[in-house]
Amino acid sequence: MHPVLFKRIHLTTLSRHDHCLTGIMHGFCKCLLVYILTCLSQNAHGEEIIHGVKAPENSMLYMASVQDSIGHICGGFLVSEDFVITAAHCGRSEITHVVLGTHNLKKADNDNKRYILHKYIPASYVAEGFGNDIMLLKLSRKAKLGKRVQTIPLPRSDTKVKENQKCQVAGWGFTTTGGIVVDELRVVDVSIISPQVCKHQWIWLPLNVTCAGGYGTNKGFCQGDSGGPLVCDGLPVGIVSFNKYANCNYPDVPNVYTDVTKHLSWIKEIIR
């Protein structure tokens, strides 16, 4: 069985027995977990924009680069002066700070940098393949909003996306399979894929996700773009979560995003 692949060769392994629920027959639990893990072995968290273009300097001013002491790890987006949303699985790396206010990471300086004071992850989060792949980062000091930095408004709980609706995803991730992260923010248009099609193609899919790009097209995300927003009509309706393997050539299944609308109560409670 192939393990789930993560950026920078982080590996996650799950015991077939340790995750059995108390009271479920051992044989049934074992078979169920074998099935689930077989499906999850196809997942790799996304980290790059495929067949996109450089984002205009005056656009997507809410984008954040989530970094460790070496450099870019994941994407994210600013939802208040002192909170950035990203993917929970980005916390596997020793992330220390975010960079705001520049699309070119080579131009970042201390004015663009905000250290991470606290990380909030839902108690129900296990791994991206099980859903709830969302993390809130509390910044050590507030961002200076202005011409280079802006927040993005959260969607409403009743915000819906439609099949084939055109949206955007952006990031500093790989542009080819096995590539390297880029210095300049890239963005690509992707279309929403219906939940029915997505479930059929993935076979196993967690709850509270949205699918867009990847399937039936050569556009989407790959390794580096994790945590970035799926933006539809100016609202971040999704968070880059996972795709199939680390293949950006491009996968035969849809890209999967955490559904932001399903976590609004949790987000607002923490921000308050």
Side-chain angles (χ1 to χ4, degrees):
M1 184 181 298
H2 297 288
V4 179
L5 300 180
F6 299 111
K7 186 183 177 199
R8 294 198 173 183
I9 322 299
H10 288 285
L11 300 181
T12 297
T13 58
L14 299 176
S15 165
R16 293 181 181 179
H17 303 295
D18 293 344
H19 291 271
C20 291
L21 299 177
T22 303
I24 298 180
M25 292 178 61
H26 173 77
F28 172 76
C29 180
K30 181 177 179 180
C31 292
L32 178 61
L33 283 173
V34 167
Y35 170 73
I36 292 174
L37 291 174
T38 300
C39 297
L40 290 179
S41 69
Q42 300 176 7
N43 300 359
H45 65 98
E47 297 164 0
E48 267 290 343
I49 295 300
I50 305 302
H51 292 153
V53 298
K54 291 180 181 179
E57 283 294 321
N58 61 348
S59 68
M60 310 187 89
L61 303 183
Y62 46 78
M63 286 296 299
S65 170
V66 180
Q67 303 192 355
D68 65 6
S69 59
I70 298 175
H72 177 80
I73 294 293
C74 284
F77 49 104
L78 190 69
V79 294
S80 75
E81 291 177 298
D82 52 355
F83 274 98
V84 165
I85 291 179
T86 187
H89 73 254
C90 295
R92 292 193 188 99
S93 299
E94 295 297 324
I95 55 175
T96 56
H97 63 279
V98 304
V99 170
L100 304 166
T102 180
H103 286 355
N104 189 334
L105 297 183
K106 277 189 173 181
K107 296 181 179 180
D109 55 28
N110 286 333
D111 287 339
N112 301 112
K113 186 183 294 186
R114 295 291 185 275
Y115 285 96
I116 298 168
L117 187 64
H118 195 81
K119 306 167 190 172
Y120 297 90
I121 296 176
S124 54
Y125 171 74
V126 176
E128 51 267 49
F130 290 93
N132 302 310
D133 188 14
I134 181 174
M135 177 164 59
L136 269 168
L137 303 177
K138 168 73 173 176
L139 306 182
S140 58
R141 57 192 177 99
K142 291 183 177 181
K144 295 179 181 178
L145 303 184
K147 293 182 179 180
R148 295 298 309 154
V149 179
Q150 289 292 327
T151 59
I152 186 171
L154 290 168
R156 294 163 48 99
S157 58
D158 59 355
T159 298
K160 303 294 183 184
V161 291
K162 300 177 181 179
E163 184 176 7
N164 296 321
Q165 181 176 345
K166 297 295 183 182
C167 303
Q168 290 183 313
V169 60
W172 289 272
F174 301 169
T175 55
T176 59
T177 299
I180 58 175
V181 295
V182 295
D183 294 319
E184 296 186 271
L185 183 70
R186 300 185 70 83
V187 60
V188 68
D189 292 336
V190 292
S191 297
I192 297 295
I193 297 169
S194 75
Q196 293 77 15
V197 170
C198 198
K199 288 177 183 178
H200 178 74
Q201 295 300 320
W202 271 103
I203 303 177
W204 167 265
L205 201 65
L207 297 175
N208 302 330
V209 296
T210 299
C211 300
Y215 174 68
T217 179
N218 61 359
K219 296 180 178 181
F221 62 72
C222 187
Q223 280 68 30
D225 295 323
S226 290
L230 174 67
V231 179
C232 303
D233 293 331
L235 299 174
V237 299
I239 304 166
V240 174
S241 186
F242 63 86
N243 64 3
K244 186 177 182 181
Y245 303 125
N247 176 25
C248 310
N249 287 324
Y250 204 78
D252 55 356
V253 294
N255 289 171
V256 182
Y257 301 77
T258 303
D259 187 341
V260 174
T261 66
K262 300 300 191 296
H263 296 84
L264 287 175
S265 296
W266 178 79
I267 293 170
K268 292 177 180 178
E269 170 131 7
I270 291 173
I271 290 178
R272 278 199 298 266

